[in-house]
Amino acid sequence: MKQSAPKPPEPPPASFDSLGLSEVMMKALESAGYEYPTPVQAGVIPRALAGVDVLGQARTGTGKTASFVIPILEGLQLKSDIHHPQALVMVPTRELAVQVRDEAIKLAAGRKVHCVAVYGGKPIREQIDKLKRGAQIVIGTPGRVLDHLARGTIDFSKLKFVVLDEADRMLDIGFRPDIERILRRCPDDRQTLLLSATVPPAIAKLAERYMRTPETLNFSPADISVDTIEQFYFTVDPQRKFELLLRLLVRERPKQGIIFCRTKRGTEKVFLRLQKKSKDPRIVAAIHGDMNQSARDRVMSAFRAGKIRFLVATDVIGRGIDVSSISHIINYDIPAFCDDYVHRVGRTGRMGREGVAYTFVAPDEGYELTRIEERINRLLKRDEIKDFDPHARERSGLPIGDRPVNLGPKGSDGAAGSGDPAATPPPPPTSLQRRPPKRYRKAL
Ligand code: AMP
């Protein structure tokens, strides 16, 4: 099928009222505390309610989940004789499955709707039982959905909606064959909604093959890293990264932050060292793909509840996870892909809040930094910590040593700066001053 020409998103209406939603929906929105639709919601909801297939280009943190959950809820047939799923939402990760399910449950307030998340790492039996009891909305990772299809424990004959959430990520992970297998098992007269941060040719092809004349709505800002996020980099030798991390945390006293590492091993290492250093080890946790699902769920809910302040993570949670109080992102390791940078940094500054991101750059990683700057079309500002020498060879600054440090938020546990090694005389200028890439130099 042919795709229609991209349409500019419609300007947001003054309120949810103008979207023609049901009373029960309006009440659910009110109890969720959603006063105004976000631009993505204002654009997608009316088109989806009109029955059109929509390809929405939107990042996480823009309210995209509700943009497909609301039309699904409004379109469900809540007859007691329909037990089979009417909506299937495919997502790339287990965490996102849980998050979308929770958002759907929240917005389904006042209706008898069952939402079930199906994903790997959890016993399939429990999910089978839940599906048997009847679920109108199923949210799942493609592998587990296929597993249920193969066992005959899920029936898509009554499916009215299919959503591909974070479609670009699903293709990156290699879910394409699974997704296609699933889509071929879905009724032809379904409505398909596809949400993706980017629309590379593979996504366009998928849309062309499995959607009915989709309308493309683009909500991605020209500058993909949102304006409210301040972005800095430090040049540092790899051996000095941990010391830099401690000093940065002491200087910044973040409300909540994620420290991104490239590998699972690296994540564990940084986590253990940080935990050892912290006066209150309970505020530090790690999350990565080697942890079992219930451990990951536990960490995520403690982080969401604000009990954990520092999450050391791999890119497994780099995308899709929404915790609005994250104030700081620290890229302990520069991400391998520019897109991962955008997704990591996008964890902060959610829903227009302020956020700050720091990236540690080893002397031989200047090229990676330049690529990121080109991708986001913006220069990262250089930062440095007082009295901290980023070189491994001579440790001129005061080492933090074995003392536990106060990593509490500003104003907590005595004066900010107690035991603050940053409160020492200014440093000699570092020789790692990096010249901006050529194409920006002209503009400076
Ligand atoms: P999402 O992009 O779907 O991950 O949503 C990001 C966050 O925004 C989630 O915590 C939602 O609960 C919240 N949210 C979604 N829509 C609205 C809205 N209209 N008003 C306020 N918050 C919203």
Side-chain angles (χ1 to χ4, degrees), residues 14-51:
S15 73
F16 279 111
D17 279 331
S18 54
L19 300 180
L21 303 175
S22 65
E23 218 168 285
V24 62
M25 192 76 249
M26 292 303 290
K27 277 209 179 115
L29 289 166
E30 197 186 323
S31 23
Y34 296 1
E35 270 182 82
Y36 301 99
T38 66
V40 177
Q41 291 160 3
V44 172
I45 293 171
R47 303 311 299 141
L49 286 175

Side-chain angles (χ1 to χ4, degrees), residues 364-381:
D364 61 352
E365 289 171 337
Y367 174 68
E368 276 94 332
L369 178 57
T370 303
R371 273 190 22 222
I372 288 169
E373 288 172 328
E374 283 174 353
R375 169 79 165 80
I376 62 173
N377 198 23
R378 169 171 165 183
L379 279 181
L380 270 61
K381 286 183 228 154

